[in-house]
Amino acid sequence: MPQSSINANAGTNGGAADVQIGPVGSSWYFAICALMGAATVVFVVLSRTKPRQERIFHYITAAVTMVACIAYYSMGASLGRVPINIEFQRDSLPGTTREIFYVRYIDWVITTPLLLLDLLLTAALPTPTILYVILVDEVMIVTGLVGALTASSYKWGYFAFGCAALFYVLYALVWEGRNHANAMGKDVGRTFLICGALTSFLWTLYPIAWGLSEGGNVINANSEAFFYGVLDFLAKPVFGGLLIWGHRNIDPARLGLHIHDYSEKDAFIKNPKEETGSNFAPNSGNAGGVTNANANQTV
């Protein structure tokens, strides 16, 4: 199937590239696709153990792996890619064009904001901060895509823009997010530390993978597939499992996530005035109305 899928789709999007995945790379992409799909099912099933008001992290995490599953299916079938002229031609990789999977960046432009949303909601950061960090993350992904599709040395300018955006995202996680999460309680701080540290470490490896593959044409397409596949597996299903486990005893309301459901026993639906007056502070100025004094100090 891997070789047949490569042959069947060789003529799409500009034709075959000189440096492209073979049957091994295709099989690897399909394997990661299966793992992403299995993780999605697990996260959705686990969500059924919680009331609907408390499933937000399950749904966000399942959405991440669902999108990644489709992206890896596309890459395994050698779709969602385009041949680009190589800036650095090497004897070990003969040819003048290399395939660039733009579907990978479509995946990232959807899933990396969701991963950040998982983390930043866990830390109960203010909504404006969350939105700005996600915007910078989108800049990081888009500049990576434009750089990958650029055949000249100008690609490294986009690489620099992307790295600058990455540094800000890491700052938001390592400093602002960690301090805010610690103020929300030991269990929240521990969950954020584990998941945030994993994400921060893995995300620093993505520019290296980019530089060795799309950027510098140092490694072949199969090695690129293994590099990105391992990173994505750790950054999505493994991250998701750790996050869901960490949230098993954390009430989202503690994080300012006051979610209501008309079909379940919900005090707010029955008596919104009483609920608003006693537990909800919409004008408190921080994430979702959290009134924790220590949390306010870190905003």
Side-chain angles (χ1 to χ4, degrees):
M1 179 178 177
Q3 185 61 55
S4 62
S5 64
I6 294 173
N7 293 337
N9 299 312
T12 61
N13 296 334
D18 297 323
V19 180
Q20 64 177 19
I21 60 169
V24 173
S26 177
S27 297
W28 173 252
Y29 279 138
F30 280 128
I32 297 296
C33 166
L35 291 173
M36 294 291 184
T40 302
V41 173
V42 170
F43 295 146
V44 171
V45 170
L46 288 175
S47 73
R48 306 296 294 180
T49 65
K50 294 278 190 178
R52 288 201 295 187
Q53 301 99 313
E54 300 180 13
R55 295 178 185 175
I56 182 170
F57 292 101
H58 293 77
Y59 287 160
I60 293 174
T61 307
V64 168
T65 52
M66 177 181 65
V67 172
C69 175
I70 298 170
Y72 271 90
Y73 174 82
S74 301
M75 290 186 285
S78 197
L79 293 170
R81 88 301 182 261
V82 63
I84 296 296
N85 289 332
I86 296 172
E87 179 187 4
F88 301 106
Q89 297 184 24
R90 305 184 187 279
D91 295 337
S92 59
L93 297 173
T96 60
T97 59
R98 183 185 181 106
E99 70 176 355
I100 302 297
F101 281 107
Y102 59 80
V103 71
R104 190 194 312 279
Y105 295 87
I106 296 175
D107 168 1
W108 289 344
V109 85
I110 298 172
T111 58
T112 57
L114 293 176
L115 290 168
L116 287 175
L117 195 60
D118 262 340
L119 285 169
L120 300 181
L121 287 179
T122 297
L125 278 170
T127 300
T129 301
I130 294 175
L131 293 176
Y132 187 68
V133 173
I134 288 176
L135 172 64
V136 175
D137 170 73
E138 298 281 13
V139 170
M140 177 182 71
I141 302 303
V142 171
T143 53
L145 172 60
V146 176
L149 296 176
T150 301
S152 69
S153 60
Y154 282 91
K155 70 169 57 185
W156 298 104
Y158 290 105
F159 178 77
F161 288 132
C163 287
L166 173 62
F167 290 149
Y168 177 78
V169 171
L170 294 178
Y171 163 77
L173 293 177
V174 173
W175 183 252
E176 293 185 348
R178 180 175 56 85
N179 289 338
H180 221 276
N182 289 336
M184 303 307 296
K186 289 184 178 180
D187 52 348
V188 175
R190 181 173 58 252
T191 299
F192 183 87
L193 176 62
I194 294 172
C195 297
L198 176 64
T199 297
S200 298
F201 170 70
L202 292 174
W203 283 25
T204 59
L205 299 180
Y206 279 93
I208 297 175
W210 191 97
L212 294 175
S213 52
E214 295 104 319
N217 191 44
V218 176
I219 60 177
N220 62 40
N222 286 339
S223 298
E224 172 190 337
F226 280 105
F227 202 160
Y228 280 130
V230 170
L231 290 178
D232 278 350
F233 175 73
L234 294 174
K236 293 172 181 176
V238 173
F239 163 89
L242 292 172
L243 184 89
I244 296 302
W245 176 256
H247 274 277
R248 66 192 184 281
N249 295 320
I250 298 175
D251 185 351
R254 285 177 53 197
L255 309 176
L257 300 173
H258 297 269
I259 302 170
H260 306 286
D261 188 348
Y262 73 92
S263 65
E264 297 191 17
K265 296 179 180 179
D266 192 319
F268 182 87
I269 299 299
K270 292 183 178 181
N271 193 348
K273 292 184 179 180
E274 179 180 343
E275 178 75 7
T276 302
S278 59
N279 296 324
F280 187 53
N283 296 318
S284 61
N286 55 56
V290 177
T291 57
N292 184 296
N294 292 330
N296 286 337
Q297 294 175 2
T298 65
V299 176

